[in-house]
Amino acid sequence: MYFLFSDVHGCLNEMNELLKYWDTDREQLIYLGDMIDRGYDSFGVVKKLMDLKTEYNDKVIILRGNHDDQFIKWLKLPPYLRMYYYDENLHSTLKSFYKHNNDLKQFQKDTRKQRADYIRKNFPEVIRFMNNLPYFYETFYCIFVHAGINLNLKNWRKDKESMLWIRDEYLYSDHMSIKRIFSGHTPTRLLNDKKNDDNIWIANTGDKIVIDGILM
C-alpha cells in the first residue's frame, strides 16, 4: 500500500498534520515533488523529508519537482546570472534556510549572488539530497512522477523535462498508459468539473490520477 502526497511548497505544519495519517508499518510513503517555494518554511519541509528518508530508507521515496529542480539549478549558476533568475519564491526559500541558522541579519546583508554561496557552504547535505532526487518511481503496476510523462514517446523515461513540467499534453493525451500514473503539479480544482473542487482528479481513461489538491 502507498501513502501519497505532493506539492507541500514549504508548508511544514500542514505536512506534519498530514503525516499523522501515514501507517509506517503498512504503507510506503511516496512524495511527488515540490518541497519548496511559496510557503513559510521550505527548509523545514526539506529537512523533515530528508530525516524520514534516513529513518525509513526504501519505505520513503522522495521525487523531484520542478521547483526543487529550479532551486538546484539556480545554486549552480555563475554569480553574474543569479540576480537575473531571482524571484519572490526563491527569496522566501532562501530566507527559510538562513532562519534555520538564526542568520536573518546576514540574509539582509547578503546580495543575491552571495546567498547562493551561503547555502552551498552551510547546507551541503541538503544540496546533495536535492541534487540526487529521482525524477520518477516505477513499480510493476504504477508510475509515480511529479507532473506526468510524455506518452507520445516510447522511451518516456529519458524526457526529464516532461516529468517536471508537462500538463495538458499528458493529462488529455489520447495515448493510454498500461500502468496507472500518479502525479501532482497541476492543482486538481483546475481539472475537476465542480468549482473549487480539490479532490483527486482521475482521467476518463482511468490511467492518470492527479493528487495536487490545493491551489497555490
Side-chain angles (χ1 to χ4, degrees):
M1 295 177 66
Y2 304 111
F3 183 88
L4 306 180
F5 67 111
S6 75
D7 297 271
V8 168
H9 286 294
C11 296
L12 178 61
N13 293 337
E14 290 81 352
M15 183 178 77
N16 285 334
E17 284 299 310
L18 184 64
L19 286 170
K20 292 177 181 179
Y21 295 93
W22 175 35
D23 186 337
T24 57
D25 294 324
R26 302 178 58 196
E27 297 172 330
Q28 183 180 30
L29 186 151
I30 302 178
Y31 182 71
L32 302 181
D34 276 3
M35 298 179 284
I36 65 170
D37 292 346
R38 300 176 180 166
Y40 51 86
D41 195 356
S42 288
F43 175 84
V45 170
V46 175
K47 185 64 168 62
K48 177 67 175 183
L49 291 173
M50 282 179 63
D51 291 345
L52 289 177
K53 180 65 177 175
T54 300
E55 182 177 358
Y56 293 98
N57 199 10
D58 290 342
K59 290 199 73 173
V60 172
I61 305 295
I62 313 296
L63 299 181
R64 179 187 303 245
N66 57 302
H67 286 258
D68 312 315
D69 187 69
Q70 284 184 309
F71 179 67
I72 289 299
K73 287 178 178 176
W74 182 80
L75 290 173
K76 295 177 181 178
L77 287 174
Y80 71 93
L81 285 178
R82 293 174 195 165
M83 61 183 297
Y84 295 109
Y85 295 94
Y86 192 100
D87 59 19
E88 185 177 343
N89 284 332
L90 178 60
H91 183 84
S92 63
T93 295
L94 293 173
K95 188 174 182 179
S96 73
F97 277 73
Y98 278 77
K99 185 176 181 180
H100 173 77
N101 274 6
N102 295 314
D103 256 351
L104 287 180
K105 288 185 178 180
Q106 186 65 44
F107 178 75
Q108 298 299 332
K109 293 179 182 178
D110 283 350
T111 65
R112 295 176 177 184
K113 298 175 184 178
Q114 292 170 327
R115 286 170 182 169
D117 295 330
Y118 178 93
I119 300 301
R120 292 191 298 190
K121 177 182 178 181
N122 289 280
F123 300 97
E125 72 287 349
V126 175
I127 296 172
R128 193 177 307 112
F129 168 72
M130 295 184 70
N131 198 47
N132 291 325
L133 290 173
Y135 288 83
F136 70 97
Y137 178 65
E138 188 173 5
T139 67
F140 190 78
Y141 294 108
C142 302
I143 298 167
F144 304 91
V145 64
H146 177 63
I149 65 175
N150 189 340
L151 291 167
N152 295 316
L153 296 179
K154 193 169 185 179
N155 193 358
W156 56 265
R157 296 170 185 83
K158 291 190 176 294
D159 188 0
K160 295 177 179 177
E161 190 75 7
S162 288
M163 294 183 210
L164 297 175
W165 293 98
I166 199 168
R167 279 204 164 105
D168 288 1
E169 186 182 2
Y170 157 71
L171 296 168
Y172 304 112
S173 174
D174 293 330
H175 297 281
M176 186 172 177
S177 172
I178 296 175
K179 295 185 178 183
R180 180 162 283 184
I181 308 170
F182 294 86
S183 64
H185 186 57
T186 301
T188 56
R189 67 168 58 181
L190 301 179
L191 303 172
N192 289 322
D193 293 332
K194 294 176 63 177
K195 187 178 181 180
N196 297 331
D197 183 357
D198 291 321
N199 288 312
I200 65 170
W201 177 83
I202 303 176
N204 292 331
T205 47
D207 59 329
K208 308 174 195 76
I209 299 177
V210 181
I211 68 167
D212 181 7
I214 300 177
L215 185 61
M216 295 189 70

